[in-house]
Amino acid sequence: KSHFETAATHLADGETSLEVLASSRFLKTKTREAKEQYQVIMEDVLSSRRSKVNIVPGAVYPGPCPGGFVVLFATPAMGEHHYLREILHAVRFVGLTPRRFYFENFANGVLAYALFFPSAQEEEVQRLKRTIMHSTLLKATPGKSELLYSSVMQSKISHECGLYLMAAVKFVYAFFPREEYSREYTSVHKVLEQNPAAQRKLEALYRLCMKDLLSTERIYQLAH
C-alpha cells in the first residue's frame, strides 16, 4: 500500500513531529505503536541526515501475527530517487517475502518503507538490513558506476562486491603511476622546446592518450 502527498511549503527547519509531517490519512489509519516506530526512525534520519534501517520485533505491533520482525527503512529527500527498485531487489536477494509492505512519504521529503516478515528469523532480517544499506551507497552514473550498479541489480555480483569495485575504481584513478608514462613525454617535450607548434601537438596527443588510458569510464569498463 502506498500514498503520495505534496510536500508542505512551510516547515520549521528540522521539524520531526509526525503530527506536522504526516498526512491526515496516515494519522487516522496507523496504530499508536506503528506511529511510535515511524517517529523513532524519522528522528534518526533527520539527526543523521542519512538513510536508516530499524528492525522492530513483530510483537511490538498489534495484530494476528505477533512473531517475526518489521523492517523500517527511511531516507531523506533525494529528488526522484525513492529506492523502490533497490528495496525490492534487496528483499529478493536475501530470499525473503514480506507479508505486508507499506510506503509513506512525509511533508519534509522523507520517504519510509515498512516491511512485515511475521515468520522471518533475526539473522535473515539483519542480512536484509545490511543489504538495504549497501544499496543506498551504490551509484548509477551513466557510462560509469551504472555498469556495476546494473550487475548488482541483476544479481550478477553481490552488493558488497559492487561497493568494493566502485572503491577500487577510485583507488586506481587516484594512485595510478602517471609519472611512469610522463618521463618519455617530458624528454620529447624538452627536445621540441624550439618548436612550440610541435610541442602543442605533443601535449594534445599526450592528453588524449592519458584520457583514453586513465578515464574513469575506461576503468569501470575493465572492472565490469
Side-chain angles (χ1 to χ4, degrees), residues 50-67:
R50 64 182 63 183
S51 302
K52 302 289 287 187
V53 176
N54 290 346
I55 296 175
V56 184
V60 170
Y61 291 79
C65 301

Side-chain angles (χ1 to χ4, degrees), residues 20-196:
V20 176
L21 300 173
S23 67
S24 57
R25 176 203 56 81
F26 177 96
L27 296 174
K28 290 178 180 178
T29 59
K30 295 297 181 184
T31 65
R32 176 181 59 82
E33 293 81 2
K35 285 188 281 189
E36 287 176 354
Q37 297 305 320
Y38 277 105
Q39 185 67 64
V40 169
I41 201 166
M42 174 67 74
E43 293 172 1
D44 289 344
V45 166
L46 294 180
S47 63
S48 64
R49 298 186 180 277
R50 64 182 63 183
S51 302
K52 302 289 287 187
V53 176
N54 290 346
I55 296 175
V56 184
V60 170
Y61 291 79
C65 301
F69 296 89
V70 178
V71 175
L72 286 168
F73 167 75
T75 186
M78 299 291 289
E80 297 297 321
H81 200 166
H82 46 65
Y83 289 112
L84 178 60
R85 182 184 181 188
E86 289 83 353
I87 295 295
L88 294 177
H89 178 265
V91 171
R92 291 195 301 270
F93 186 80
V94 301
L96 289 174
T97 302
R99 177 72 62 85
R100 289 185 285 158
F101 185 109
Y102 296 93
F103 171 79
E104 304 290 345
N105 67 330
F106 298 92
N108 58 357
V110 170
L111 307 177
Y113 294 84
L115 297 87
F116 288 72
F117 302 97
S119 59
Q121 302 298 312
E122 183 173 5
E123 181 180 349
E124 294 175 313
V125 292
Q126 287 291 349
R127 185 183 178 208
L128 176 60
K129 175 180 178 177
R130 292 192 299 271
T131 303
I132 291 174
M133 291 308 297
H134 289 156
S135 296
T136 66
L137 299 175
L138 294 171
K139 306 298 181 184
T141 304
K144 297 182 181 181
S145 55
E146 183 182 39
L147 295 172
L148 298 177
Y149 174 86
S150 296
S151 292
V152 173
M153 289 297 107
Q154 295 169 20
S155 297
K156 294 180 178 178
I157 59 176
S158 67
H159 296 72
E160 293 91 338
C161 183
L163 291 175
Y164 176 84
L165 289 174
M166 287 183 184
V169 169
K170 294 181 180 179
F171 180 87
V172 170
Y173 185 79
F175 295 101
F176 186 84
R178 297 173 177 82
E179 63 280 358
E180 293 185 8
Y181 290 83
S182 64
R183 293 169 185 167
E184 293 182 1
Y185 161 77
T186 303
S187 300
V188 176
H189 192 274
K190 187 174 182 180
V191 170
L192 297 174
E193 60 184 357
Q194 301 301 322
N195 190 338

Side-chain angles (χ1 to χ4, degrees), residues 183-215:
R183 293 169 185 167
E184 293 182 1
Y185 161 77
T186 303
S187 300
V188 176
H189 192 274
K190 187 174 182 180
V191 170
L192 297 174
E193 60 184 357
Q194 301 301 322
N195 190 338
Q199 277 189 331
R200 288 194 293 273
K201 290 181 180 179
L202 178 64
E203 291 165 1
L205 181 61
Y206 178 76
R207 287 194 296 269
L208 183 62
C209 291
M210 290 303 293
K211 180 179 180 181
D212 182 64
L213 177 68
L214 196 60
S215 67

